[in-house]
Amino acid sequence: MITRPAFIAVPQHATVSREGRGTDPFAVLQRQMGRLIEDYRAPETFGTGHIGATDITEDASGYHIFIEVPGCSEKDINLSTTNGVLTISGEKKSPIEGTEQKQHVSGRSFGAFSEHFTLSDDINAEGITAGIKNGVLKIFLPRREPAKPAERKIEVKAD
């Protein structure tokens, strides 16, 4: 099984007006509409430190991780395993950075990203493979061969 660190929810505190009474109902409505619009927008991935949308599937041969990394090539992504943890990191760079072009609108996000997955004991870390095609990073984590009971013939000697 592959696990990702749990997200910790931050409690939301009630706001109080200067007079010490509850917040104006129109201000509450405005905040809720703002949240609704923000939730509707496509989530920004790159530049926030998180990788794109991720799917993890399992079959008899092992686990398959599919991660959306649009605009990234194999040179932009690093994978490593250390002490049973798979680390996926990289950076999506802006194509106009370092040029003299003036940018008027920016709807895309760029920046570094990183994610860590704890690998279960049944994964063969030495056999992990990865490839990228059409903006999707595909990682295969093969299962270890089940340990076969060691059989040893013990010779019986005459005393």
Side-chain angles (χ1 to χ4, degrees):
M1 184 158 152
I2 304 166
T3 58
R4 179 186 281 184
F7 293 101
I8 300 171
V10 178
Q12 295 182 354
H13 301 287
T15 57
V16 178
S17 67
R18 290 182 208 165
E19 295 86 30
R21 293 175 295 175
T23 305
D24 176 28
F26 291 108
V28 171
L29 179 61
Q30 185 178 10
R31 270 196 319 277
Q32 289 175 344
M33 290 300 294
R35 281 191 213 134
L36 178 65
I37 291 168
E38 285 300 313
D39 288 346
Y40 179 74
R41 287 183 48 189
E44 291 186 16
T45 300
F46 301 102
T48 62
H50 299 292
I51 59 176
T54 304
D55 292 332
I56 301 175
T57 62
E58 175 184 5
D59 61 20
S61 63
Y63 299 91
H64 303 267
I65 302 176
F66 302 92
I67 303 169
E68 291 182 358
V69 288
C72 291
S73 70
E74 65 277 1
K75 297 172 189 167
D76 300 324
I77 299 172
N78 302 306
L79 273 79
S80 64
T81 57
T82 306
N83 297 327
V85 176
L86 173 66
T87 301
I88 304 163
S89 62
E91 184 173 7
K92 181 179 177 186
K93 297 178 182 167
S94 171
I96 66 165
E97 205 169 277
T99 67
E100 293 185 20
Q101 293 180 6
K102 287 177 28 179
Q103 188 167 6
H104 295 281
V105 177
S106 177
R108 300 181 296 164
S109 54
F110 304 96
F113 56 91
S114 179
E115 191 72 67
H116 306 278
F117 295 92
T118 303
L119 305 177
S120 63
D121 293 335
D122 70 331
I123 294 174
N124 175 9
E126 299 299 319
I128 296 174
T129 58
I132 188 168
K133 183 177 180 184
N134 297 329
V136 177
L137 176 65
K138 298 174 185 175
I139 305 168
F140 175 62
L141 299 95
R143 293 188 191 276
R144 290 186 191 276
E145 290 294 322
K148 298 177 183 173
E151 185 175 324
R152 187 180 125 213
K153 179 112 173 137
I154 301 171
E155 185 179 335
V156 177
K157 296 181 181 181
D159 288 330

